[in-house]
Amino acid sequence: MSAASTQEPPPVPEWVVQSVDAFADHLVRERDRSEHTVRAYAGDVRACLTWCAGEGSTSLADIDLSALRAWLGTLASGGAARSTLSRRSAAVRTFFAWARRTGRVETDPALRLASPRRQRTLPDVLTTDGATAVLDVAAVAADDEDPIHLRNRAVLELLYATGIRVGELTGLDVDDVDRHRRVVRVLGKGRKERMVPFGQPADAALAEWLERGRPLVARADSGPALFLGRRGRRVDPRQVREVVHSLLAHVPNAPDLGPHGLRHSAATHLLEGGADLRMVQELLGHSSLATTQIYTHVSLDRLRDSYRQAHPRA
């Protein structure tokens, strides 16, 4: 191994560290962003400022629009996806807008920083029969009354019934579920609270979990978490993803989806069943109707396929 290959990267300049730490503190204290969002934004900004420092910048004031464009160009040349470039440029724009407001820079160099539009790819979704099949698999597995199998069934039923995000699901507490009214209180992005209804199958699965599953794994330090692991701790998103993948593996011809695939499926099936687009927006917790509209494309795509198969002049 050559000496060059063993060299450690140069240390991150102190002005970069201080700037990123102050920005992260702002996101937590003033914007109330989630730990995941803070980590992602801080990492993107740190990468940008460190690159600029390597190009000769000695402070935030040295960074201009051309430097930011050059940084994005380097990422693009390295094969970064459009979604990655879009996210990183958004993080840098947010950072410099904050730096301008707080007097750390006189002018905002990222004000005219453009980013490539993210490709609006149609998400994979289950058919209604596929959704029924995977829920049946979860129900059959729960027949042995193993508490984790009861939990898995309740997790799948609630994800599909409500379309909530996996992070929203794992953050639920027992008191967030109102079984009398069949609604669940969800804390979404930006800590916005919304109430989401669920149906009788999800209610039945939740009842089994709460009455015959959760008490068997709960410990003194389990706290109020709705869904627990075998050791009594709150489940995390990774565990839920593993559950969804493993159960879908038993459904022939089903796409390999995670919890977000169940969210996509729920939204698509609601629209195909005649639900109003704004109602679906409210259920999913989208801040913009444009985000929800991708599901109309999914439905139209299926309608087009059916038309081609059925119409003699298609």
Side-chain angles (χ1 to χ4, degrees):
M1 185 178 294
S2 66
S5 64
T6 60
Q7 290 180 349
E8 294 185 0
V12 179
E14 186 61 27
W15 65 270
V16 172
V17 174
Q18 291 179 355
S19 298
V20 173
D21 286 351
F23 177 56
D25 188 64
H26 156 72
L27 292 177
V28 172
R29 295 178 181 274
E30 298 178 38
R31 299 287 293 276
D32 199 21
R33 295 308 189 201
S34 69
E35 180 182 348
H36 173 78
T37 298
V38 173
R39 185 167 57 247
Y41 268 49
D44 288 342
V45 172
R46 180 187 292 269
C48 174
L49 300 187
T50 302
W51 184 89
C52 290
E55 296 296 305
S57 297
T58 59
S59 70
L60 291 180
D62 290 339
I63 300 175
D64 57 16
L65 179 60
S66 62
L68 297 179
R69 285 174 172 168
W71 171 65
L72 285 179
T74 301
L75 294 176
S77 300
R82 284 201 287 182
S83 58
T84 299
L85 296 175
S86 179
R87 188 200 74 209
R88 292 197 170 188
S89 59
V92 168
R93 284 196 299 271
T94 302
F95 168 77
F96 276 105
W98 164 80
R100 172 67 182 83
R101 288 195 308 272
T102 55
R104 288 171 168 82
V105 293
E106 291 186 8
T107 59
D108 181 354
L111 197 60
R112 293 188 293 116
L113 182 65
S115 58
R117 286 185 174 274
R118 297 181 64 176
Q119 285 182 303
R120 302 288 295 203
T121 54
L122 298 180
D124 285 332
V125 294
L126 294 169
T127 63
T128 52
D129 287 343
T132 299
V134 72
L135 293 170
D136 286 345
V137 169
V140 170
D143 282 344
D144 63 4
E145 298 200 4
D146 181 296
I148 299 305
H149 292 165
L150 292 173
R151 181 206 67 189
N152 292 348
R153 180 192 176 198
V155 161
L156 244 70
E157 286 281 5
L158 196 60
L159 281 173
Y160 180 62
T162 61
I164 60 177
R165 302 175 179 93
V166 63
E168 294 170 344
L169 177 111
T170 57
L172 292 175
D173 291 337
V174 173
D175 289 345
D176 290 326
V177 178
D178 183 341
R179 291 190 51 228
H180 177 69
R181 294 191 298 157
R182 288 185 189 165
V183 293
V184 60
R185 182 174 61 237
V186 178
L187 197 61
K189 289 187 175 181
R191 302 189 69 80
K192 293 181 179 178
E193 186 178 290
R194 68 186 191 277
M195 304 297 288
V196 184
F198 55 86
Q200 191 279 328
D203 182 56
L206 282 168
E208 291 285 316
W209 160 244
L210 290 171
E211 294 166 12
R212 304 219 304 267
R214 191 180 185 280
L216 297 182
V217 295
R219 303 289 185 267
D221 58 350
S222 292
L226 175 61
F227 293 116
L228 305 173
R230 202 173 289 277
R231 296 183 179 179
R233 300 191 185 100
R234 182 186 295 272
V235 295
D236 59 41
R238 178 188 56 80
Q239 290 172 289
V240 176
R241 291 189 188 98
E242 290 175 355
V243 168
V244 176
H245 284 298
S246 64
L247 290 173
L248 272 172
H250 295 282
V251 179
N253 302 318
D256 183 23
L257 305 178
H260 214 66
L262 291 181
R263 176 173 165 86
H264 290 319
S265 300
T268 302
H269 297 166
L270 279 167
L271 288 169
E272 289 178 342
D276 177 77
L277 189 64
R278 287 199 176 275
M279 184 271 281
V280 176
Q281 176 193 4
E282 181 69 22
L283 289 176
L284 298 182
H286 287 160
S287 58
S288 168
L289 189 64
T291 307
T292 316
Q293 285 175 329
I294 189 174
Y295 299 109
T296 65
H297 300 320
V298 176
S299 299
L300 180 60
D301 193 50
R302 288 189 173 183
L303 178 62
R304 188 178 292 112
D305 287 343
S306 298
Y307 177 85
R308 286 170 180 161
Q309 293 175 13
H311 199 288
R313 302 287 284 183

